[in-house]
Amino acid sequence: MAAPEWRNVYRLSDEQLGQLEQAEQCMEMIDINRAESILMSMLEEDADCVPVLNNLGHMHGRYLSDFEKAVEYYNRVLEIEPDNAWARDERRRYQRYLTYD
């Protein structure tokens, strides 16, 4: 059985897809400064790019433990896509972390 076909629903260019992949690889290698640089550069070109905002939220929450910033990025995603279940679930997780003493 073949794997489901991935669809580029955000119509990202090949360059943008490559940059996202590079940023994700940098996060996995804990090169957070480089990942952030790539993502922020992409955000300057398109401030409403949902995949970039999601990746920034993920990076700030998981790798930097900056839960407030993660929530801010997920809030931006939800302003653009109110039905984005991934962003809603991740935002909820990091909001809970903010309530811990």
Side-chain angles (χ1 to χ4, degrees):
M1 174 179 261
E5 183 178 323
W6 181 82
R7 292 182 352 168
N8 185 0
V9 295
Y10 296 105
R11 294 184 170 91
L12 300 176
S13 69
D14 288 341
E15 180 181 356
Q16 288 171 308
L17 291 171
Q19 289 173 315
L20 276 176
E21 184 175 339
Q22 184 180 13
E24 290 169 359
Q25 288 173 352
C26 288
M27 279 189 263
E28 290 173 10
M29 300 301 295
I30 315 299
D31 188 354
I32 303 304
N33 289 335
R34 179 75 179 128
E36 184 175 35
S37 175
I38 293 166
L39 293 170
M40 294 308 289
S41 174
M42 292 180 74
L43 200 59
E44 286 177 14
E45 293 178 24
D46 182 358
D48 293 333
C49 185
V50 170
V52 171
L53 293 168
N54 270 327
N55 272 281
L56 283 164
H58 177 71
M59 182 183 71
H60 280 275
R62 180 171 182 185
Y63 294 101
L64 299 173
S65 298
D66 185 348
F67 306 129
E68 287 182 39
K69 195 68 170 173
V71 168
E72 287 177 26
Y73 281 116
Y74 288 122
N75 281 338
R76 287 179 61 188
V77 170
L78 291 167
E79 288 173 9
I80 299 164
E81 288 184 350
D83 294 333
N84 188 312
W86 166 265
R88 188 177 50 248
D89 291 346
E90 293 299 297
R91 179 184 67 178
R92 185 179 304 123
R93 176 201 327 207
Y94 294 124
Q95 283 174 326
R96 276 197 313 261
Y97 292 165
L98 289 172
T99 65
Y100 297 160
D101 289 333

